């Protein structure tokens, strides 16, 4: 097979499947790993794929973009986030339980939807969510301390992670920037990822709140695998394929 034919076959595979590894391609085409890497470099320059460690992915699958602040995200997919936040209320634990709210605009809507008379202990690292819980709740509200990150108005850092690691909560409502079956749940900022990872580890039930725009995307830092997620609440425009793949991992997928 000529180099051009091999490169076309590689480009077709990445376009169809979404990714390919150097080792698999080398074995399939009976060439060295170095040859495959040269092919991938050629295809990347032509815009057919994006190289990653160990292989390549479809262009645009992995985002390397500036993280959006709250002022932008608060005006994006508002109706979807409102519906997701409302649907999250069916996963509240019984009275006497505890709920951990991750920072984010979708988890903010869950905090807004919280009913009165629940008798829950409520915990968050988000300054805006702490304010909502204090005003809309008759339970106990705890704000997790740490350094405040201005872009997300959330506490981050070693103190925040350590405080969350000491907890055992009934339910955690977790937000995410991106979800794929391969990379799991991910976010662009390492310190935010560390906090989310601690939240997932601290919860008996992990409920992810994410609209369909997060599906099939990957960001820099993974903070949880799909096996660590119990429930995903998303909107009704999610593709049936994405929903089925997540359900295959044992996740209860709820369409709001």
């Amino acid at each position: 097979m000529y180099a051009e034919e091999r490169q076309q076959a590689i480009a077709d595979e990445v376009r169809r499947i979404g990714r390919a590894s150097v080792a698999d391609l080398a074995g399939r085409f009976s060439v060295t790993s170095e040859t495959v890497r040269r092919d991938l470099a050629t295809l990347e320059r032509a815009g057919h794929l994006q190289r990653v460690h160990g292989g390549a992915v479809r262009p645009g699958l992995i985002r390397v973009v500036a993280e959006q602040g709250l002022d932008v995200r608060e005006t994006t997919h508002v109706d979807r986030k409102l519906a997701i936040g409302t649907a999250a209320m069916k996963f509240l634990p019984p009275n006497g339980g505890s709920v951990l709210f991750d920072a984010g605009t979708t988890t903010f809507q869950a905090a807004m939807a919280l009913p009165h008379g629940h008798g829950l202990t409520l915990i968050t690292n988000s300054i805006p969510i702490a304010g909502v819980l204090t005003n809309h709740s008759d339970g106990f509200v705890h704000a997790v301390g740490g350094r405040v990150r201005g872009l997300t108005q959330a506490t981050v850092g070693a103190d925040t992670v350590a405080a969350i690691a000491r907890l055992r909560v009934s339910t955690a409502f977790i937000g995410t920037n991106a979800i794929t079956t391969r990379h799991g749940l991910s976010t662009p900022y390492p310190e935010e990822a560390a906090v989310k990872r601690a939240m997932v580890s601290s919860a008996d039930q992990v409920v992810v709140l994410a609209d369909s725009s997060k599906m099939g995307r990957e960001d820099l830092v993974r903070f949880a695998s799909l096996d660590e997620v119990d429930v995903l609440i998303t909107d009704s425009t999610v593709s049936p394929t994405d929903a089925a793949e997540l359900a295959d991992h044992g996740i209860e997928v709820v369409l709001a």
Side-chain angles (χ1 to χ4, degrees), residues 205-219:
Q205 177 181 233
V206 175
V207 181
V208 175
L209 311 182
D211 67 75
S212 58
S213 70
K214 311 298 174 58
M215 308 300 163
R217 311 293 297 186
E218 293 180 350
D219 264 318

Side-chain angles (χ1 to χ4, degrees), residues 42-233:
T42 298
L43 292 168
E44 184 177 48
R45 287 194 295 270
H48 294 297
L49 51 77
Q50 182 178 352
R51 284 189 295 172
V52 296
H53 178 70
V57 298
R58 187 185 303 122
L61 181 62
I62 295 180
R63 298 177 292 174
V64 183
V65 297
E67 189 179 2
Q68 293 178 333
L70 283 178
D71 56 340
V72 175
R73 290 186 286 131
E74 283 174 345
T75 60
T76 305
H77 305 309
V78 176
D79 292 343
R80 300 180 189 179
K81 294 175 181 179
L82 178 60
I84 292 168
T86 301
M89 295 303 97
K90 67 181 288 189
F91 295 97
L92 289 175
N95 285 356
S98 52
V99 183
L100 181 56
F101 287 81
D102 184 17
T105 52
T106 310
T107 50
F108 180 89
Q109 292 299 335
M112 289 288 290
L114 196 68
H116 290 283
H118 46 68
L120 298 172
T121 298
L122 309 171
I123 308 155
T124 186
N125 72 318
S126 165
I127 292 175
I129 290 176
V132 167
L133 295 178
T134 300
N135 292 325
H136 289 73
S137 168
D138 49 7
F140 299 100
V141 179
H142 299 271
V144 181
R147 177 173 58 82
V148 178
R149 186 172 181 234
L151 189 66
T152 58
Q153 296 182 37
T155 57
V156 296
D159 290 341
T160 307
V161 172
I164 294 170
R166 291 192 292 268
L167 302 176
R168 193 69 198 170
V169 299
S170 308
T171 300
F173 290 134
I174 304 294
T176 186
N177 296 74
I179 307 174
T180 64
T181 54
R182 178 182 173 92
H183 195 51
L185 281 64
S186 55
T187 191
Y189 190 64
E191 284 195 297
E192 296 267 7
V195 172
K196 291 174 182 289
R197 190 176 301 116
M199 290 181 170
V200 169
S201 297
S202 74
D204 291 331
Q205 177 181 233
V206 175
V207 181
V208 175
L209 311 182
D211 67 75
S212 58
S213 70
K214 311 298 174 58
M215 308 300 163
R217 311 293 297 186
E218 293 180 350
D219 264 318
L220 181 64
V221 187
R222 180 175 70 174
F223 63 86
S225 67
L226 295 185
D227 294 338
E228 296 174 282
V229 176
D230 298 298
V231 180
L232 169 71
I233 306 178

